[in-house]
Amino acid sequence: MPRSIRPHNLRRLTLKREVAQSLRLNPTDFERLLWRHLRSKRMAGFRFRRQQPIGPYVVDFYCASAKLIVELDGGHHGEAEQLAHDLARTEWLESRGYKVVRIWNGDVLKHPDAVLDFICREAEEMRQYLSATP
């Protein structure tokens, strides 16, 4: 039987959905470019969602069948404070069984085929791992 949602959790959930929707409506150029290749099961039949709420976070791209999260990182992700936040976020997600891969924005622009091959390999590996795990 589903647990009822408490009012403060409902407000948090609603806010997170609004943030995710705002991010989907205002993607960066790099997110838009990558989304062209990930949408509509264009990558080996994997279905990706963009700006997907997971726990306390909203991730850039998420493939549920592979439990794969793809994060696009810009220059500010190299700063100490952001690195610490990214590490804590990745640890939280990975502790719940997700695989997180981080890709620099510049790589999406300069090496799109290599980025897509990398994402596809990671998704395939995770799908195989999940199907072999009891």
Side-chain angles (χ1 to χ4, degrees):
M1 179 169 235
R3 196 174 73 166
S4 63
I5 299 176
R6 296 183 179 168
H8 68 280
N9 287 339
L10 182 59
R11 283 191 298 275
R12 189 179 313 145
L13 181 62
T14 301
L15 178 61
K16 198 171 2 167
R17 285 182 181 161
E18 289 172 359
V19 167
Q21 182 178 26
S22 174
L23 291 169
R24 279 191 297 273
L25 292 172
N26 300 296
T28 67
D29 292 339
F30 305 103
E31 290 171 341
R32 192 177 293 112
L33 178 62
L34 185 56
W35 183 239
R36 267 190 241 149
H37 298 284
L38 297 180
R39 65 182 298 191
S40 304
K41 297 183 180 180
R42 291 181 182 168
M43 179 177 290
F46 288 104
R47 180 178 184 262
F48 281 84
R49 299 178 197 147
R50 60 191 174 113
Q51 303 303 337
Q52 175 68 37
I54 298 177
Y57 303 107
V58 177
V59 301
D60 290 339
F61 299 97
Y62 173 60
C63 176
S65 66
K67 288 192 83 169
L68 179 67
I69 294 168
V70 178
E71 289 289 311
L72 291 184
D73 292 344
H76 70 284
H77 286 270
E79 298 170 5
E81 187 176 318
Q82 188 63 46
L83 282 170
H85 173 75
D86 290 346
L87 179 61
R89 174 184 169 115
T90 297
E91 287 175 354
W92 188 92
L93 291 162
E94 288 181 346
S95 73
R96 282 144 181 90
Y98 299 99
K99 168 85 182 237
V100 179
V101 296
R102 294 190 166 278
I103 298 170
W104 288 103
N105 286 341
D107 289 338
V108 172
L109 192 60
K110 294 175 188 171
H111 311 288
D113 291 335
V115 166
L116 295 171
D117 287 344
F118 172 70
I119 293 170
C120 190
R121 276 194 318 273
E122 292 293 327
E124 286 288 352
E125 285 178 19
M126 276 302 287
R127 183 164 55 186
Q128 289 175 6
Y129 169 77
L130 292 170
S131 67
T133 305

